[in-house]
Amino acid sequence: MSALKEKLETDLSAAMKARDDVRTRTLRMALTAVKNEEVAGKRSRELSDDDVVKVLTREAKKRREAATAFGDAGRAEQAQAERDEGAVLEEYLPAQLSDTELKALVADAIAETGAAGPRAMGQVMKVVNPKVAGRAEGGRVAAEVKRQLAE
């Protein structure tokens, strides 16, 4: 079992004992998503820590999008609940890259590939994505690559 999945299960037990509803609800949802990912596909498999991080990143993104949607619909209470769940998930994710760090990684990838112009975006993304791995959202990375290639 991956260390991260074990930590989620341990923290879920602690949250249940402490009667922390938000944390309990969020960790249950996260573990369900992890277990669903394990049994998806032709045969079940054990997820690595990297795979668990990908699942948690996807769940955190869902929370951000739902919070925005609820906020836009004037449902502040539900928006806050989604933000609270997102905050719990963030604790289990690697620290996000700052804009400066992301710019540097993208600039290095462009130099490494010798890419020029917007058509080379795919080339650059192939090099940048493994280096970023869960520390920045794909849309943010793509926007930075596009911006630097347009210069």
Side-chain angles (χ1 to χ4, degrees):
M1 181 185 295
S2 83
L4 185 53
K5 183 179 172 189
E6 244 173 67
K7 181 170 175 33
L8 287 169
E9 289 176 348
T10 305
D11 290 356
L12 174 59
S13 294
M16 289 167 76
K17 287 176 186 164
R19 300 208 188 292
D20 183 341
D21 292 338
V22 172
R23 195 169 201 77
T24 300
R25 179 178 68 229
T26 305
L27 293 176
R28 271 192 180 138
M29 170 277 311
L31 283 165
T32 299
V34 167
K35 287 174 182 158
N36 287 341
E37 187 70 23
E38 287 177 337
V39 297
K42 293 192 187 306
R43 60 187 134 113
S44 63
R45 59 190 164 70
E46 193 71 32
L47 295 183
S48 68
D49 276 350
D50 288 343
D51 293 332
V52 174
V53 166
K54 285 178 189 162
V55 172
L56 294 180
T57 301
R58 193 169 54 229
E59 292 299 319
K61 183 179 180 191
K62 286 180 191 175
R63 297 298 161 287
R64 280 193 299 279
E65 289 170 353
T68 303
F70 281 133
D72 293 347
R75 298 172 70 181
E77 203 171 294
Q78 284 95 339
Q80 188 56 50
E82 294 292 339
R83 279 193 289 276
D84 292 345
E85 287 182 10
V88 171
L89 290 173
E90 294 293 330
E91 295 172 25
Y92 297 94
L93 295 173
Q96 295 294 296
L97 290 172
S98 70
D99 288 341
T100 312
E101 292 168 317
L102 182 59
K103 283 178 187 169
L105 277 174
V106 170
D108 291 347
I110 290 172
E112 187 181 315
T113 59
R119 288 183 176 204
M121 190 165 169
Q123 253 182 304
V124 177
M125 289 297 285
K126 276 184 197 160
V127 174
V128 171
N129 277 337
K131 294 177 182 175
V132 170
R135 297 182 302 153
E137 228 172 66
R140 203 174 135 215
V141 176
E144 182 58 30
V145 169
K146 194 179 290 182
R147 190 187 68 72
Q148 287 192 29
L149 285 175
E151 289 176 356

